[in-house]
Amino acid sequence: MGVVYLVGGGPGDPGLLTLRAARALRRADVIVHDALVSPRILDLAPASAERIPVGKRCGGRCTPQDEINRILIDSARRVAVVVRLKGGDPFVFGRGGEEALALSEAGVRFRVVPGITAAVGAAAYAGVPLTHRDYASAVTFIAGHEATGRAESRVAWNTLAAADGTIVIYMGVGRLREIVARLIAAGRSPTTPAALIQWATCPEQRTVTATLASLADEVERAGLGAPAVIVVGRVVGIREKLIAQGRRARREDRSLRIRAPALP
Ligand code: SAH
């Protein structure tokens, strides 16, 4: 009976992979991977490893979670090392919890290898500290597709809007207008700084900053879409200063690598 590693592959930049994730990949007999995972990360696995793509963007169809669970369990019965490679962190909106439960119920051994989640990678590469003593003492990660469609969203919008912390919304691009309206209706100031960061940490990274009220229009104007995270909070205002400093520092020291994409 093999072991399944639930591995976080980080948000895109292969440099953000952990050493433990790289080690698991190098030992993999089977890799069950998400569509968004970079080929450069997949290339760490031996050429002989069997690669099984699952997830939304593969061939236009979404592999049902039950089928993914079954593939993991069957693979663990066939080979020694199975790597379930996911974007970001497996336990942040990654269904890693469901897979861990299914494996444990089937009596399959597993290990979780954490990864840098999209919010953390995006914030770092876009120059937005998620917390700052003067601006935000809390940060909340939200699944944006929970925003509407249900009579009772599981997201406590009123509490979130009232607290002054940073909010990072995953999977929210398609519902950006509804999310913004909901936050403003629940009491967040329309002038709160906000950003949308697309393809964070990847060479294609693009960022739009605006106020909460104007973010959706600005994003539309710039033509940005998924995959992206939306960051709302006063910390977004720090970005301009960091970018200016990053540019200066880069001129002086080529080794500094603060990624500062131009504002549209
Ligand atoms: N487990 C992942 C999240 C999976 S949900 C993690 O921890 O990051 C998928 C969502 O993650 C996307 O809809 C998007 O909101 C976000 N995401 C993943 N990779 C991203 C990237 N490189 N840039 C911006 N957002 C990203």
Side-chain angles (χ1 to χ4, degrees):
M1 193 67 166
V3 58
V4 177
Y5 290 88
L6 298 173
V7 174
D13 181 349
L16 296 178
L17 199 71
T18 65
L19 293 174
R20 183 160 295 195
R23 193 172 348 135
L25 277 165
R26 280 197 296 268
R27 292 179 46 212
D29 299 303
V30 171
I31 307 163
V32 182
H33 65 89
D34 285 355
L36 282 181
V37 171
S38 152
R40 278 179 61 201
I41 291 176
L42 281 174
D43 284 349
L44 290 171
S48 59
E50 184 187 346
R51 288 156 169 83
I52 308 178
V54 293
K56 269 204 195 103
R57 264 157 262 230
C58 283
R61 103 190 161 105
C62 178
T63 314
Q65 190 59 48
D66 283 352
E67 196 179 320
I68 298 177
N69 296 350
R70 194 181 44 70
I71 293 171
L72 293 178
I73 294 164
D74 289 351
S75 303
R77 293 190 171 134
R78 282 193 294 126
V79 301
V81 178
V82 180
V83 168
R84 169 68 177 110
L85 183 60
K86 292 166 170 293
D89 179 87
F91 279 2
V92 179
F93 304 130
R95 301 212 179 161
E98 291 167 48
E99 290 169 13
L101 274 173
L103 291 167
S104 131
E105 275 161 22
V108 175
R109 281 190 307 142
F110 67 92
R111 300 271 177 282
V112 181
V113 181
I116 292 184
T117 192
V120 170
Y125 281 49
V128 178
L130 290 177
T131 67
H132 184 289
R133 280 196 296 163
D134 297 337
Y135 304 112
S137 309
V139 52
T140 309
F141 297 164
I142 305 182
H145 59 356
E146 290 277 331
T148 51
R150 276 175 214 223
E152 284 175 35
S153 165
R154 276 180 276 193
V155 176
W157 293 97
N158 291 346
T159 324
L160 267 179
D164 201 23
T166 308
I167 303 173
V168 185
I169 300 141
Y170 290 63
M171 298 171 281
V173 182
R175 301 227 161 114
L176 180 55
R177 284 186 194 279
E178 292 151 73
I179 291 166
V180 162
R182 203 146 185 172
L183 284 170
I184 293 174
R188 266 294 157 118
S189 163
T191 60
T192 308
L196 183 139
I197 305 151
Q198 180 188 32
W199 287 116
T201 81
C202 303
E204 310 91 324
Q205 175 175 319
R206 286 182 70 198
T207 306
V208 162
T209 49
T211 62
L212 187 53
S214 63
L215 184 66
D217 285 341
E218 293 300 331
V219 165
E220 209 172 284
R221 206 189 325 263
L224 265 56
V229 288
I230 301 150
V231 186
V232 178
R234 290 197 288 155
V235 287
V236 174
I238 300 172
R239 168 180 154 84
E240 305 303 323
K241 275 190 205 159
L242 287 185
I243 287 179
Q245 272 166 26
R247 286 213 185 93
R248 231 183 353 261
R250 237 187 343 232
R251 274 199 299 274
E252 286 154 21
D253 176 359
R254 308 293 312 169
S255 69
L256 253 182
R257 290 281 214 95
I258 300 169
R259 189 175 299 221
L263 288 171

